[in-house]
Amino acid sequence: MNSIETFKKTLEDDRSRMIELERLLTSIPAIAPESGGDGESKKCAALEKWLCDAGFDESQFSHYDAPDNRVSSGVRPNLVLTIPGKSDDYAIWVMAHMDVVPPGDLKLWNSDPFTVQYDEKTDKLIGRGVEDNQQGLVSGVFAALALLKNKITPEHTVKLLFMADEEFGSVYGIKYLLKNHSELFNKNDLILIPDGGDEKGETIEVAEKNILWLKIHTIGQQSHGSMPNKGKNAHLAACDLALRLNDLENFFNEKDNLFCPNYSTFQPTKKESNVETVNIIPGDDVFYMDCRILPRYTLDAVRAEVNKRAAEIEAKYGVKIEISEPQAQQSPATPVDAPVVKKLAAAIKNAHGFEARPIGIGGGTVGAELRCCGYNAAIWSTMDEVCHQPNEYCYVRNIIADAVTLCALFTEN
């Protein structure tokens, strides 16, 4: 039996324990204080104990906890489990986050969100967090356990990182680690984040569109609806500006087939209430834009064009426009021929026999934070991407399949 077949058998034999670990993790809601939760400490402690009981030594664990006085423990935990390899010239990281989003409207759930349901016929686990991000976490854990069970030393040191605070911006998670513990990482490390993918595991995310959220506050002059000449219609000016900003899709118009859609998008989204009745010309108006921009364009270039078009509106309507940014993030792409991409693709081919391809996405992940600091990172997993939805689910077979891929990655020369 070759090593891949050995890993497949070992991991299939561990199916019930994978479900057990998913049940444990789901039963301890790790919700951020921004959503009224108490953070990840209890979940992290339970995970660390489970890992020790499973056979890992206490000396293999390191804590890099971020202070946070809003939670009862006073910290947001970041835990690293190290599996020494034959070579320590670089590490292979598998980074998963422990926090989950709240369940939302409980009436939309068919069961308790924090009690895992397992449907043996469909092989489906249901519960908050089972996919986002416990599927990737559990795959990493059982890939490491497969090495331990089979007495196999990985070719390079393996590090499993269990992070805090991914769902609310990673201030207490990867951002904290990059700022305060940069010695953890090496530019040659292979960094894999199993927190996104497709139902077949065929795509490796290597790039993200730059994200710019805009809050547009237009200040005019209120008047009676029958006398618009005595006012300055903030809503009318804002509508004109919304169309001009949407037209940025024709200005920043290059295409990149790494992404779908393959162009930059500038979309008006949220609209705040302005006046109470129909017969009032609004003197105040607020709307928002969600802009997803190809990495070839800088946010500063976009800001300059936004400000130019806003100034044109101010001059045309006699209004004042204030622009703020609820969110702004840009990052370089991981090269499609970077070692992490090539080695991961080779491991997928070795484990499952198909070719994976690099893609870009419009959403944001912790990969962007790493790329901004010069670390190449790849996001990959086999999943339906039902994160944050009611009745969130994952398949145990996907946990196993991804763990097999990780075993192949860990044992490649």
Side-chain angles (χ1 to χ4, degrees), residues 38-74:
D38 195 35
E40 306 86 357
S41 289
K42 291 177 182 177
K43 185 172 182 175
C44 185
L47 173 61
E48 189 171 359
K49 180 181 184 303
W50 190 97
L51 292 168
C52 287
D53 291 343
F56 294 108
D57 190 88
E58 289 183 5
S59 63
Q60 293 177 263
F61 295 93
S62 302
H63 271 271
Y64 302 91
D65 298 344
D68 187 351
N69 59 16
R70 299 173 302 165
V71 297
S72 60
S73 66

Coordinates of all heavy atoms in Angstrom, one line a residue, residues 38-74:
D38 N -18.2 36.0 23.9 CA -17.1 36.1 24.9 C -15.8 35.6 24.3 O -14.9 35.1 25.0 CB -17.5 35.2 26.1 CG -16.6 35.5 27.3 OD1 -16.2 36.7 27.5 OD2 -16.3 34.6 28.0
G39 N -15.7 35.6 22.9 CA -14.5 35.3 22.3 C -14.2 33.8 22.2 O -15.2 32.9 22.3
E40 N -13.0 33.4 22.0 CA -12.6 32.0 21.6 C -11.9 31.2 22.7 O -11.6 30.1 22.5 CB -11.7 32.1 20.4 CG -12.2 32.8 19.2 CD -11.9 34.3 19.2 OE1 -11.3 34.8 20.3 OE2 -12.2 35.0 18.3
S41 N -11.7 31.8 23.9 CA -10.9 31.1 24.9 C -11.4 29.8 25.3 O -10.6 28.8 25.4 CB -10.7 32.0 26.1 OG -9.9 33.1 25.8
K42 N -12.7 29.6 25.6 CA -13.2 28.3 26.0 C -13.1 27.3 24.9 O -12.7 26.1 25.2 CB -14.7 28.5 26.5 CG -14.8 29.3 27.7 CD -16.3 29.5 28.1 CE -16.4 30.3 29.4 NZ -17.9 30.6 29.7
K43 N -13.3 27.7 23.7 CA -13.2 26.8 22.6 C -11.7 26.4 22.4 O -11.4 25.2 22.1 CB -13.7 27.5 21.3 CG -13.8 26.6 20.1 CD -14.5 27.3 18.9 CE -14.7 26.5 17.7 NZ -15.5 27.1 16.7
C44 N -10.8 27.3 22.5 CA -9.4 27.0 22.3 C -8.9 26.1 23.4 O -8.2 25.1 23.1 CB -8.6 28.3 22.4 SG -6.9 28.1 22.0
A45 N -9.4 26.3 24.6 CA -8.9 25.4 25.7 C -9.4 24.0 25.5 O -8.7 23.0 25.7 CB -9.5 25.9 27.0
A46 N -10.7 23.9 25.0 CA -11.2 22.5 24.7 C -10.5 21.9 23.6 O -10.2 20.6 23.6 CB -12.7 22.6 24.4
L47 N -10.2 22.6 22.6 CA -9.4 22.1 21.4 C -8.0 21.6 21.9 O -7.6 20.5 21.5 CB -9.3 23.2 20.3 CG -8.4 22.8 19.1 CD1 -8.9 21.6 18.4 CD2 -8.3 24.0 18.2
E48 N -7.4 22.4 22.7 CA -6.0 22.1 23.1 C -6.0 20.8 23.9 O -5.2 19.9 23.8 CB -5.4 23.2 23.9 CG -3.9 23.0 24.2 CD -3.3 24.3 24.8 OE1 -3.9 25.3 24.9 OE2 -2.1 24.2 25.1
K49 N -7.0 20.7 24.8 CA -7.1 19.4 25.6 C -7.4 18.2 24.7 O -6.8 17.2 24.9 CB -8.3 19.6 26.6 CG -8.4 18.4 27.5 CD -9.6 18.5 28.5 CE -9.7 17.3 29.5 NZ -9.9 16.0 28.7
W50 N -8.3 18.4 23.7 CA -8.6 17.3 22.8 C -7.4 16.9 22.1 O -7.1 15.7 21.9 CB -9.7 17.7 21.8 CG -10.3 16.6 21.0 CD1 -11.4 15.9 21.3 CD2 -9.7 16.1 19.8 NE1 -11.6 15.0 20.3 CE2 -10.6 15.0 19.4 CE3 -8.6 16.3 19.1 CZ2 -10.4 14.3 18.2 CZ3 -8.4 15.6 17.9 CH2 -9.2 14.6 17.5
L51 N -6.6 17.8 21.6 CA -5.4 17.5 20.9 C -4.3 16.8 21.8 O -3.7 15.8 21.3 CB -4.7 18.8 20.3 CG -5.6 19.5 19.2 CD1 -5.0 20.9 18.9 CD2 -5.5 18.6 17.9
C52 N -4.2 17.2 23.0 CA -3.3 16.5 23.9 C -3.8 15.1 24.2 O -3.0 14.1 24.2 CB -3.2 17.3 25.3 SG -2.3 18.8 25.1
D53 N -5.1 14.9 24.4 CA -5.7 13.6 24.6 C -5.5 12.7 23.4 O -5.4 11.5 23.5 CB -7.2 13.7 24.9 CG -7.4 14.3 26.3 OD1 -6.5 14.3 27.1 OD2 -8.6 14.7 26.5
A54 N -5.4 13.3 22.2 CA -5.3 12.6 20.9 C -3.9 12.1 20.7 O -3.6 11.3 19.8 CB -5.7 13.4 19.8
G55 N -2.9 12.6 21.5 CA -1.5 12.1 21.3 C -0.5 13.2 21.1 O 0.7 12.8 21.1
F56 N -0.8 14.4 21.0 CA 0.2 15.5 20.8 C 0.7 15.9 22.2 O 0.0 15.8 23.2 CB -0.4 16.7 20.1 CG -0.7 16.5 18.7 CD1 -2.1 16.4 18.3 CD2 0.2 16.3 17.7 CE1 -2.4 16.2 17.0 CE2 -0.1 16.0 16.4 CZ -1.4 16.0 16.0
D57 N 2.0 16.2 22.3 CA 2.6 16.6 23.5 C 2.4 18.1 23.8 O 2.4 18.9 22.9 CB 4.1 16.3 23.4 CG 4.8 16.4 24.8 OD1 4.8 15.4 25.5 OD2 5.3 17.5 25.1
E58 N 2.3 18.4 25.1 CA 2.1 19.8 25.6 C 3.2 20.7 25.0 O 3.0 21.8 24.8 CB 2.1 19.8 27.1 CG 0.8 19.3 27.7 CD 0.7 19.4 29.2 OE1 1.6 20.1 29.7 OE2 -0.2 18.9 29.8
S59 N 4.4 20.1 24.9 CA 5.6 20.9 24.5 C 5.4 21.4 23.0 O 6.1 22.3 22.5 CB 6.9 20.1 24.6 OG 6.9 19.0 23.7
Q60 N 4.5 20.8 22.3 CA 4.3 21.2 20.9 C 3.4 22.4 20.7 O 3.2 22.9 19.6 CB 3.7 20.0 20.1 CG 4.6 18.8 19.9 CD 4.0 17.6 19.2 OE1 3.4 16.7 19.9 NE2 4.0 17.7 17.9
F61 N 2.8 22.9 21.8 CA 1.9 24.0 21.7 C 2.5 25.3 22.1 O 3.3 25.3 23.1 CB 0.7 23.7 22.6 CG -0.2 22.5 22.1 CD1 0.1 21.3 22.7 CD2 -1.2 22.7 21.2 CE1 -0.7 20.2 22.2 CE2 -1.9 21.6 20.8 CZ -1.7 20.4 21.3
S62 N 2.2 26.4 21.4 CA 2.6 27.7 21.8 C 1.4 28.7 21.7 O 0.7 28.6 20.7 CB 3.8 28.2 20.9 OG 4.9 27.3 20.9
H63 N 1.3 29.6 22.7 CA 0.2 30.5 22.7 C 0.8 31.9 22.4 O 1.8 32.3 22.8 CB -0.4 30.6 24.1 CG -1.6 29.7 24.3 ND1 -2.8 30.0 23.9 CD2 -1.6 28.4 24.7 CE1 -3.6 28.9 24.2 NE2 -2.9 28.0 24.7
Y64 N 0.0 32.6 21.5 CA 0.3 34.0 21.2 C -1.0 34.8 21.3 O -1.6 35.2 20.3 CB 0.9 34.1 19.7 CG 2.1 33.2 19.6 CD1 2.1 31.9 19.2 CD2 3.4 33.8 19.9 CE1 3.2 31.1 19.0 CE2 4.6 33.0 19.7 CZ 4.4 31.7 19.3 OH 5.6 30.9 19.2
D65 N -1.4 35.0 22.5 CA -2.7 35.5 22.8 C -2.7 37.1 22.8 O -1.8 37.7 23.3 CB -3.2 35.0 24.2 CG -3.3 33.5 24.2 OD1 -3.4 32.9 23.1 OD2 -3.4 32.9 25.3
A66 N -3.7 37.6 22.2 CA -3.9 39.1 22.1 C -4.7 39.6 23.2 O -5.8 39.1 23.5 CB -4.5 39.4 20.8
P67 N -4.3 40.6 24.0 CA -5.1 41.1 25.1 C -6.4 41.8 24.6 O -6.4 42.4 23.5 CB -4.2 42.2 25.7 CG -2.8 41.9 25.2 CD -3.0 41.2 23.9
D68 N -7.5 41.5 25.3 CA -8.8 42.1 25.0 C -9.6 42.1 26.2 O -10.2 41.0 26.6 CB -9.5 41.3 23.9 CG -10.7 41.9 23.3 OD1 -11.2 42.9 24.0 OD2 -11.3 41.4 22.3
N69 N -9.8 43.2 26.8 CA -10.5 43.3 28.1 C -12.0 43.3 28.0 O -12.7 43.3 28.9 CB -10.1 44.6 28.9 CG -10.4 45.9 28.1 OD1 -11.1 45.9 27.1 ND2 -9.7 47.0 28.5
R70 N -12.5 43.1 26.8 CA -13.9 43.0 26.5 C -14.4 41.5 26.8 O -15.6 41.3 26.9 CB -14.3 43.4 25.1 CG -13.9 44.8 24.8 CD -14.2 45.1 23.3 NE -13.4 44.2 22.5 CZ -13.6 44.0 21.2 NH1 -14.5 44.6 20.5 NH2 -12.8 43.2 20.5
V71 N -13.5 40.6 26.9 CA -13.9 39.2 27.1 C -13.5 38.7 28.5 O -12.5 39.3 29.0 CB -13.3 38.3 26.0 CG1 -13.9 38.6 24.6 CG2 -11.8 38.3 26.0
S72 N -14.2 37.7 29.0 CA -13.9 37.3 30.4 C -12.5 36.8 30.6 O -12.0 37.0 31.7 CB -15.0 36.3 30.8 OG -14.8 35.1 30.0
S73 N -11.9 36.2 29.7 CA -10.5 35.7 29.8 C -9.5 36.7 29.7 O -8.3 36.6 30.1 CB -10.3 34.6 28.8 OG -10.2 35.1 27.5
G74 N -9.9 37.9 29.2 CA -8.9 39.0 29.0 C -8.1 38.8 27.7 O -7.2 39.7 27.5

